[in-house]
Amino acid sequence: PRQRAKNKDISINLEITLQEVLTGKDFDAQISTQAVTKDVHIKVPPGVENGQSIKYQGIGDNSIKNLPPGDLIVNIYVKPHEVFTRSGDTITCEKRIPVWDAILGGVITVETLTGRELTITIPKGIQPETILNCKEEGLPNIRTRRRGSLHVKIKIDIPKNLTEEQLEKIKDLKYGI
């Protein structure tokens, strides 16, 4: 089937933060058509992906009056976050813990993307690069609106400046003396 003729589509770029991916974003833009410059109000839904294009029908060029208006295409770019990385609906952060907590277990706090603090139990004997899963603390799925997970990747800090006495105690533990 042939496509029906219409006015031109207009394309704009929008850069948003990871927090705005979480909540969605309302914004006002000024777009220029062949005939006029106009203000438009756009709602970007939660869960949009970096590089995704969203089509808003009928908001584009409308300079040829006997043709339907074109569409507005908004190209989404998500700014990198200083703490979290994203993979789909899952966000990941790293948390450094002392070697003693890795051996004995412990409790850590992790700040979520919303700023809420989660308390997470570290199991005894946790290994480096272990990923702890916090369900429904990630980003919403653009289609289902269900929240993904927050993954906390464990990094272990090994002390560098131990005294001779501390090293001897560790050797005693190592050799079972």
Side-chain angles (χ1 to χ4, degrees):
R2 283 184 23 188
Q3 269 192 317
R4 210 173 125 202
K6 66 175 186 172
N7 279 281
K8 290 182 180 179
D9 293 341
I10 297 173
S11 182
I12 63 172
N13 296 331
L14 176 64
E15 189 174 61
I16 64 175
T17 66
L18 204 54
Q19 283 88 351
E20 291 167 334
V21 171
L22 176 66
T23 60
K25 178 179 173 88
D26 288 5
F27 75 99
D28 294 312
Q30 206 170 57
I31 58 173
S32 295
T33 67
Q34 290 180 358
V36 67
T37 297
K38 62 181 179 177
D39 294 322
V40 294
H41 182 76
I42 301 296
K43 292 179 181 260
V44 176
V48 294
E49 294 278 348
N50 186 46
Q52 183 174 353
S53 295
I54 301 172
K55 182 190 291 189
Y56 297 89
Q57 292 185 324
I59 303 180
D61 186 22
N62 198 18
S63 55
I64 303 173
K65 294 299 176 202
N66 59 345
L67 291 178
D71 300 327
L72 175 64
I73 311 296
V74 179
N75 303 307
I76 304 294
Y77 298 97
V78 181
K79 295 177 189 175
H81 195 275
E82 62 275 359
V83 174
F84 298 102
T85 57
R86 178 185 188 183
S87 177
D89 306 334
T90 300
I91 54 175
T92 302
C93 68
E94 293 182 351
K95 187 70 174 183
R96 301 195 78 76
I97 64 170
V99 68
W100 322 116
D101 288 348
I103 295 168
L104 301 171
V107 175
I108 59 171
T109 58
V110 175
E111 189 173 314
T112 67
L113 191 55
T114 62
R116 191 166 59 87
E117 286 196 351
L118 296 178
T119 301
I120 301 173
T121 301
I122 301 294
K124 294 176 188 174
I126 195 166
Q127 298 298 305
E129 305 295 314
T130 297
I131 294 178
L132 303 174
N133 186 32
C134 304
K135 292 182 180 179
E136 298 182 11
E137 294 293 342
L139 298 171
N141 181 291
I142 194 166
R143 290 169 209 51
T144 66
R145 301 284 189 245
R146 291 189 63 197
R147 295 267 305 263
S149 293
L150 165 61
H151 286 172
V152 180
K153 185 187 280 189
I154 298 298
K155 299 288 187 174
I156 299 175
D157 285 333
I158 311 263
K160 293 181 177 125
N161 300 318
L162 295 174
T163 66
E164 283 302 317
E165 183 181 343
Q166 291 168 324
L167 289 170
E168 285 302 318
K169 287 182 180 181
I170 293 170
K171 285 178 189 174
D172 289 346
L173 286 173
K174 179 178 178 181
Y175 298 114
I177 297 175

